[in-house]
Amino acid sequence: MKRDAASQSMDSELEEAVCKLVWLNFACARGDLDSGAALLAELKVLLTRLPSLPPSFEKTPNAVEELKIARAIYENAVILSLKIKDREAFERNLCQLKEFYINTCGIIAPSPDEYPFLGLNLLRLLAENRIAEFHTELELLPLEALNHPCIKYAVELEQSFMEGAYNQLINAHQAVPHETYVYLMDLLAEAVRDEVAECSVEAYDYLPINVAKKMLKFTSDQELLEYISEEQPEWEIKDCSVHFDMAKPKSHMDLPSFKLIKQALSYARELEHIV
């Protein structure tokens, strides 16, 4: 009787998870992100009561269905975190999702969305300039994954990034292979823009506003001015040009501490002559 009661309890929890997952999909589809976040929190609590999930992987009668539902929940969690632009939640949910992709082979059928999500992971690492981790994750993928459009997209972006072909990176924003990639491509575009800005400071003393706007891929002077105000406060606008003098790295001999040291040594030499 106890075993039957436990089995019925697990069945009811599985049914509740299935029902709430449907409502989570519905909430995300209509853009009700607050309801989606609340449902996701409830679903994650439910998952803690399913013994067949990682890391225990107990062989319960409902193990296959439980693993499928849990994987679908984390796939939705990744999408929701992208929609609300929560980078920490995105990374956390993606790491938990990868556990299902890696450790459930042979237990449940592969997810049709596995490679798009693994491509998202590669794009995340690229946007954060974590190139070594990008290659580590890439090496862990099976050979057939490299032919998937989402994986190829991330690999080609990384090649453009390493070659400094920033125009190709910006243009690739228009050819994302999956709608979930848009937010991360925005982050990558910001990273590329910051890289171009840093190189501009090193290479030029100033640039005409229209040239700086073109180099940084802004469509209007106002966008450029807002970027300077928010991200590059040391840049100056003078005579219709962007001046980088204040942003250039100072020689260590110009720093106040070094000036004080030089002054102290000069005093010491004078005292030595007096004595």
Side-chain angles (χ1 to χ4, degrees):
M1 292 293 290
K2 288 183 179 179
R3 192 174 301 171
D4 289 343
S7 177
Q8 288 176 2
S9 175
M10 283 190 285
D11 287 345
S12 65
E13 287 169 350
L14 182 59
E15 289 173 6
E16 185 179 356
V18 171
C19 182
K20 287 187 175 179
L21 178 58
V22 172
W23 281 107
L24 173 60
N25 285 324
F26 182 65
C28 290
R30 70 170 188 257
D32 187 355
L33 302 183
D34 290 337
S35 295
L39 283 164
L40 179 61
E42 294 174 12
L43 280 164
K44 286 186 175 182
V45 172
L46 269 176
L47 292 183
T48 63
R49 300 202 288 268
L50 301 181
S52 63
L53 304 188
S56 58
F57 288 109
E58 289 186 20
K59 295 182 179 180
T60 65
N62 296 323
V64 171
E65 290 304 315
E66 289 173 1
L67 288 168
K68 286 181 179 179
I69 287 296
R71 184 179 65 188
I73 288 169
Y74 279 110
E75 287 178 341
N76 278 271
V78 170
I79 293 171
L80 181 62
S81 60
L82 286 173
K83 287 186 174 183
I84 62 178
K85 300 182 178 181
D86 187 336
R87 294 173 67 174
E88 290 184 3
F90 168 70
E91 184 169 355
R92 187 169 58 251
N93 290 322
L94 193 55
C95 287
Q96 291 172 306
L97 177 59
K98 282 172 59 186
E99 181 79 11
F100 287 89
Y101 290 156
I102 294 169
N103 294 319
T104 62
C105 294
I107 304 175
I108 57 175
S111 167
D113 293 319
E114 179 172 347
Y115 290 151
F117 280 105
L118 292 178
L120 268 178
N121 185 45
L122 292 174
L123 189 54
R124 169 183 69 91
L125 296 172
L126 185 58
E128 295 174 358
N129 202 17
R130 294 158 63 178
I131 304 301
E133 292 175 65
F134 177 97
H135 285 284
T136 299
E137 291 292 326
L138 191 61
E139 289 172 7
L140 293 173
L141 295 176
L143 286 176
E144 63 266 20
L146 302 180
N147 294 320
H148 192 279
C150 291
I151 304 298
K152 287 176 68 176
Y153 181 79
V155 171
E156 289 169 1
L157 285 176
E158 189 269 343
Q159 290 171 349
S160 298
F161 188 77
M162 297 306 293
E163 293 168 2
Y166 297 139
N167 281 340
Q168 293 180 26
L169 284 168
I170 300 298
N171 294 336
H173 195 292
Q174 309 301 321
V176 290
H178 200 274
E179 62 179 355
T180 54
Y181 283 51
V182 173
Y183 170 62
L184 289 176
M185 280 304 297
D186 289 341
L187 295 181
L188 181 59
E190 290 176 11
V192 168
R193 181 173 286 126
D194 290 341
E195 187 77 15
V196 172
E198 187 175 334
C199 292
S200 299
V201 170
E202 294 290 337
Y204 305 101
D205 292 327
Y206 68 91
L207 285 171
I209 284 179
N210 62 327
V211 175
K213 179 177 68 176
K214 185 176 180 180
M215 287 180 63
L216 295 171
K217 297 294 181 181
F218 288 116
T219 57
S220 68
D221 291 355
Q222 185 60 33
E223 287 181 352
L224 174 63
L225 295 175
E226 288 176 2
Y227 173 75
I228 293 172
S229 175
E230 295 172 7
E231 304 295 337
Q232 307 291 349
E234 293 182 332
W235 293 7
E236 291 183 298
I237 304 295
K238 292 188 297 186
D239 303 323
C240 298
S241 296
V242 182
H243 290 256
F244 306 122
D245 298 337
M246 297 298 293
K248 288 187 179 292
K250 294 182 180 179
S251 167
H252 66 276
M253 297 303 293
D254 294 330
L255 296 174
S257 58
F258 279 90
K259 290 181 179 179
L260 286 172
I261 292 170
K262 285 175 66 179
Q263 192 175 41
L265 289 172
S266 176
Y267 290 156
R269 280 196 295 270
E270 290 180 15
L271 285 171
E272 188 177 344
H273 290 314
I274 294 171
V275 174

